[in-house]
Amino acid sequence: MSTKDRKTLLLVDDEPTNLQVLRQILQDDYRLLYARDGMRALELARQEHPDLILLDVMMPVMTGYETCSVLKLGADTRSIPVIFVSALTDEADEAAGFDAGGVDYIAKPVSAPIVKARVRTHLSLVRMDELRETRLQIVQRLGMAAEYKDNETGLHVIRMSHYSKILGLAIGMSEDEADELLNAAPMHDLGKIGIPDRILHKPGKLDDEEWAIMREHARIGAEIIGDHDSSLLRMASVVALTHHEKWDGSGYPEGLKGEKIPLVGRIVAIADVFDALTSERPYKKAWTVEAAIELLRAESGKHFDPVLVEHFIDQMPKILEVKARWAEAPTEGPVSAAQRAAATRTPSANEATTR
């Protein structure tokens, strides 16, 4: 491995002998930086952004615990993993290290195999976090791509995803489950990529043939996502396939009814419809929040799971916070005659939300 491809480690200890020991253990595999006090360590961390820091505890002026605490306050340094290396081996000392933000604790005198193994393990965890974050970004961008094709702004998927998470938490999902739903929900209309523009962008009502084609976007989305071991992608596929099913069985593509519709599909259905209704588009005016809530109640037990509707309405203060945070600018630019005509009438909930 060339030097430029090596991971960078910052070694911090006020004793040159200790730095020399760590250098001998790690120099063949990593690019190494050195600091003999906390202030210099902070300076190098900000300048070089090392992949991992090995940090002594007992140092003059600023202890290792204090140095780590400052690192965890910095936006550009908080994600750097810190392994404490210290002769202080009491349980209370180790606990103090973890409280300060460290990820591990190695006792002095150090063992070369242990140092190498701990460093390798934590660098692997960093890599896994990076891959997970990259995957989530790709999922979100794919969801936004479908919305842009459908004349949406991309903010729609952000809002409705947060609405979905809020509702999930309200009905008892764990934080991890709700976060997974937050990241799966943007894929709900991915299948619209496969729908012809002449149908997707038609300003008026669709005829029976066009409507049959439009309804295929649920299956197309599930097929694009495919079958995966990843729980996130499995959930995204279920959401794409089932978010147009209706509680009374009149939805599509399977005509599922009641609790036979997967829970995540029922959640996203409410979040998607609410945001679609309360958002302005070139072809329609935004409904008021009050009108959208009235519609949700009217469709409770028909389109929507009645229990979920009440939980969603109960969470309205949080919903409106998200709506305000991710608000859209007023529609600008030229609007076609067909769009102007469509905007002068109030569409039905079905027309406004099912394309």
Side-chain angles (χ1 to χ4, degrees):
M1 180 186 297
S2 65
T3 302
K4 68 177 182 179
D5 294 328
R6 293 180 179 181
K7 296 291 186 181
T8 298
L9 308 184
L10 172 57
L11 312 181
V12 188
D13 199 302
D14 63 318
E15 290 291 338
T17 302
N18 293 332
L19 291 177
Q20 179 67 11
V21 170
L22 290 174
R23 185 182 74 83
Q24 291 295 331
I25 295 171
L26 298 166
Q27 64 181 345
D28 291 340
D29 300 310
Y30 304 100
R31 172 176 173 255
L32 302 179
L33 304 171
Y34 305 95
R36 293 185 59 184
D37 59 71
M39 294 302 295
R40 179 57 177 161
L42 293 173
E43 183 181 348
L44 283 173
R46 291 166 185 146
Q47 291 175 353
E48 301 287 341
H49 201 80
D51 297 286
L52 184 144
I53 298 173
L54 290 168
L55 181 59
D56 184 27
V57 173
M58 297 305 295
M59 297 185 295
V61 183
M62 178 181 284
T63 69
Y65 299 146
E66 292 168 338
T67 303
C68 186
S69 296
V70 174
L71 286 168
K72 296 307 171 183
L73 292 175
D76 56 343
T77 57
R78 66 167 61 106
S79 63
I80 304 172
V82 174
I83 298 177
F84 286 104
V85 184
S86 177
L88 301 176
T89 57
D90 288 347
E91 185 175 313
D93 297 316
E94 294 190 20
F98 290 121
D99 288 343
V103 297
D104 210 339
Y105 204 101
I106 299 175
K108 294 179 180 177
V110 299
S111 160
I114 288 177
V115 170
K116 288 182 177 181
R118 300 284 181 84
V119 168
R120 187 167 55 248
T121 295
H122 288 290
L123 288 176
S124 296
L125 292 175
V126 169
R127 179 59 176 161
M128 289 174 62
D129 287 342
E130 291 173 347
L131 290 173
R132 187 180 298 109
E133 179 62 26
T134 299
R135 183 184 67 181
L136 292 179
Q137 290 178 4
I138 292 171
V139 166
Q140 291 166 353
R141 294 298 172 181
L142 280 172
M144 288 182 180
E147 298 303 326
Y148 278 116
K149 179 176 171 64
D150 194 23
N151 277 335
E152 299 283 2
T153 65
L155 292 176
H156 167 66
V157 295
I158 295 175
R159 290 191 301 268
M160 60 80 62
S161 297
H162 281 281
Y163 298 163
S164 298
K165 177 180 178 178
I166 290 169
L167 180 52
L169 289 172
I171 63 170
M173 279 187 173
S174 69
E175 190 69 34
D176 286 344
E177 290 172 327
D179 276 337
E180 194 153 71
L181 179 55
L182 170 73
N183 291 298
M187 304 285 277
H188 69 292
D189 272 340
L190 181 60
K192 288 183 177 179
I193 291 173
I195 302 301
D197 287 350
R198 64 180 175 81
I199 295 175
L200 201 60
H201 297 160
K202 183 177 179 179
K205 293 181 66 174
L206 302 180
D207 61 31
D208 290 344
E209 181 181 354
E210 292 167 333
W211 183 239
I213 295 172
M214 174 61 76
R215 286 159 62 108
E216 284 301 303
H217 83 269
R219 292 189 192 278
I220 293 171
E223 289 170 2
I224 290 174
I225 298 169
D227 296 323
H228 298 274
D229 292 334
S230 162
S231 60
L232 170 62
L233 293 178
R234 286 200 303 272
M235 183 184 289
S237 180
V238 170
V239 166
L241 184 65
T242 65
H243 72 287
H244 281 303
E245 300 288 358
K246 295 184 179 181
W247 187 257
D248 64 4
S250 65
Y252 66 88
E254 300 289 348
L256 300 178
K257 185 175 183 179
E259 293 187 356
K260 289 185 177 180
I261 306 168
L263 177 61
V264 291
R266 285 179 269 149
I267 289 173
V268 170
I270 294 173
D272 187 30
V273 167
F274 179 83
D275 191 69
L277 290 174
T278 57
S279 300
E280 181 179 355
R281 292 293 177 264
Y283 54 85
K284 79 170 187 70
K285 295 183 180 298
W287 289 31
T288 66
V289 170
E290 293 74 19
I293 291 174
E294 184 178 344
L295 182 281
L296 292 181
R297 285 202 165 111
E299 291 293 318
S300 178
K302 292 183 284 187
H303 188 157
F304 307 116
D305 179 331
V307 173
L308 293 183
V309 167
E310 292 309 311
H311 279 290
F312 187 82
I313 294 171
D314 287 344
Q315 298 298 310
M316 196 53 56
K318 293 180 181 179
I319 299 295
L320 296 182
E321 286 179 8
V322 170
K323 182 173 173 58
R325 180 180 180 187
W326 299 104
E328 300 180 47
T331 303
E332 298 179 355
V335 179
S336 69
Q339 288 173 329
R340 284 195 298 272
T344 60
R345 65 184 179 87
T346 301
S348 69
N350 194 57
E351 292 173 312
T353 62
T354 54
R355 290 201 185 182

